[in-house]
Amino acid sequence: MSTFPAARLRRLRSTAGLRDLVRETEVSLDDLILPLFVAPDALGNDALPAMQRFTVEGVVRECEELVRIGARAVILFGVPESKDDEGSGAWVDDGIVQQALRALRPRFPELLLLTDVCLCEYTAHGHCGVLHDDRVDNDASVELLARTAVSHVEAGADAVCPSDMMDGRVGAIRERLPETPIVAYSAKYASAFYGPFRDVAGSAPSFGDRRSYQMDPGNVREALRECELDVAEGADVLLVKPALPYLDVVRAVRERFDLPVAAYNVSGEYAMVKAAAAAGHLDERAAALESLTAIKRAGADMIFTYWVRDVASWLV
Ligand code: PBG
């Protein structure tokens, strides 16, 4: 017989108090960022309640409620009145996101206002940059993205989040905005999980796909190269997107870099749980909290997620 007692790991699982005491990872509202869509007209969403469109007045009311329940941060996406080839609605002074920022900034000094910097919601063709002979022109797009980031900060954004995946855009934004935190969508994959977002934002490409700028799902070393460049160009936070199918990428970025890491729990991940719960296959609350815990455990310091309102009610 062994002189050592057999390991008894169940000792620390026997009561809720002990489990709470030894838990390594916890989801907190402090680490969550809620995406909000601002548009000229409101549009509800029964199946995916966190994915509705708000008017500027509506987004003010929504943020009032978010602050009341303890939410800390939102990221604004704009759905413009009209689109053009250049996506000018992204940077004009009276653009939809700029209007929302000017309404929100003075009212909610304690709420973090992040903005998504991309052209796909604003271009008539739905690509994330401007076209030259049906190809997305990198450097011309970078110029317009930097202009967009500057206009967001002038309107009151606390941080900007370039999500376009053009080369060199973080550096171009950093040059113009030395003081602004940049949350770089560094490892953003050409994913099948963005469907519900594109429906709400009206940003599906009208031809082709995004594989000439977003990353191939098979690659992880390339994600680290993307991060390396973004660090060199002045990024403050490195973001991996989507989250759940890419937890190995979150972990790899966490291990290689000492910057804060973000993960985007995208619309398709939210929709899958919602649909499965509606069909009676699983419990939304348990599945959502488990997902968010897993994303943090993999190494994310912060999570962009549609479940912020729900988490606020679940954690009380
Ligand atoms: C803009 C952008 C997208 C998402 C965030 N920023 C869509 C895309 O790349 O097509 C997706 C977010 C989600 O699915 O929740 N480029």
Side-chain angles (χ1 to χ4, degrees):
M1 235 188 48
S2 160
T3 50
F4 297 104
R8 292 284 186 190
L9 294 186
R10 290 182 57 195
R11 276 195 296 262
L12 293 177
R13 293 177 201 149
S14 59
T15 69
L18 284 165
R19 290 192 294 273
D20 288 350
L21 194 66
V22 301
R23 186 166 304 116
E24 299 170 34
T25 307
E26 254 169 309
V27 172
S28 154
L29 272 184
D30 292 352
D31 309 323
L32 304 183
I33 300 144
L34 176 67
L36 292 175
F37 301 87
V38 195
D41 294 306
L43 184 67
N45 193 333
D46 290 341
L48 306 175
M51 302 200 67
Q52 49 183 304
R53 293 184 195 163
F54 295 102
T55 60
V56 171
E57 299 74 50
V59 89
V60 168
R61 282 194 299 277
E62 179 70 4
C63 287
E64 232 155 62
E65 176 65 7
L66 289 168
V67 168
R68 197 186 63 72
I69 63 179
R72 308 296 304 276
V74 298
I75 176 168
L76 300 176
F77 291 91
V79 185
E81 178 103 63
S82 63
K83 304 179 189 235
D84 57 28
D85 282 347
E86 285 207 300
S88 62
W91 66 81
V92 288
D93 202 42
D94 61 348
I96 189 78
V97 165
Q98 290 78 357
Q99 289 179 40
L101 287 165
R102 290 202 174 89
L104 295 169
R105 179 72 296 158
R107 286 183 175 86
F108 307 107
E110 69 282 54
L111 184 65
L112 274 175
L113 302 175
L114 286 68
T115 59
D116 189 83
V117 175
C118 194
L119 300 183
C120 63
E121 298 102 297
Y122 305 92
T123 50
H125 45 74
H127 280 287
C128 300
V130 285
L131 302 181
H132 186 78
D133 293 341
D134 280 4
R135 283 265 311 162
V136 174
D137 182 326
N138 194 85
D139 296 0
S141 303
V142 164
E143 181 54 38
L144 300 179
L145 291 157
R147 200 183 289 180
T148 301
V150 169
S151 80
H152 289 174
V153 171
E154 284 172 355
D158 291 302
V160 293
C161 313
S163 70
D164 52 284
M165 290 301 279
M166 299 302 125
D167 288 320
R169 88 281 206 211
V170 171
I173 294 171
R174 175 53 74 224
E175 207 176 286
R176 291 167 180 80
L177 295 169
E179 304 294 336
T180 303
I182 299 177
V183 179
Y185 287 72
S186 302
K188 176 173 177 179
Y189 287 85
S191 170
F193 291 94
Y194 304 149
F197 173 97
R198 292 181 188 172
D199 292 342
V200 178
S203 64
S206 63
F207 69 92
D209 54 45
R210 304 211 199 289
R211 284 183 292 183
S212 78
Y213 40 102
Q214 298 181 348
M215 281 186 55
D216 189 292
N219 296 352
V220 63
R221 293 191 300 270
E222 188 188 345
L224 298 175
R225 293 189 66 205
E226 284 282 3
C227 289
E228 214 167 274
L229 290 174
D230 286 350
V231 172
E233 291 176 29
D236 297 290
V237 178
L238 302 172
L239 186 148
V240 175
K241 174 185 173 186
L244 289 179
Y246 296 87
L247 292 185
D248 59 320
V249 182
V250 174
R251 168 56 49 189
V253 172
R254 166 76 296 146
E255 281 175 0
R256 177 80 68 92
F257 300 94
D258 290 329
L259 278 73
V261 175
Y264 199 132
N265 179 218
V266 300
S267 59
E269 301 173 58
Y270 173 67
M272 281 197 295
V273 172
K274 279 280 185 195
H281 296 312
L282 47 74
D283 177 66
E284 181 185 2
R285 171 191 169 136
L289 288 173
E290 183 177 331
S291 300
L292 295 171
T293 303
I295 295 165
K296 282 200 84 175
R297 192 197 60 234
D301 299 290
M302 66 193 84
I303 307 174
F304 291 69
T305 179
Y306 298 95
W307 271 300
V308 172
R309 259 173 169 280
D310 315 78
V311 169
S313 68
W314 294 331
L315 294 186
V316 287

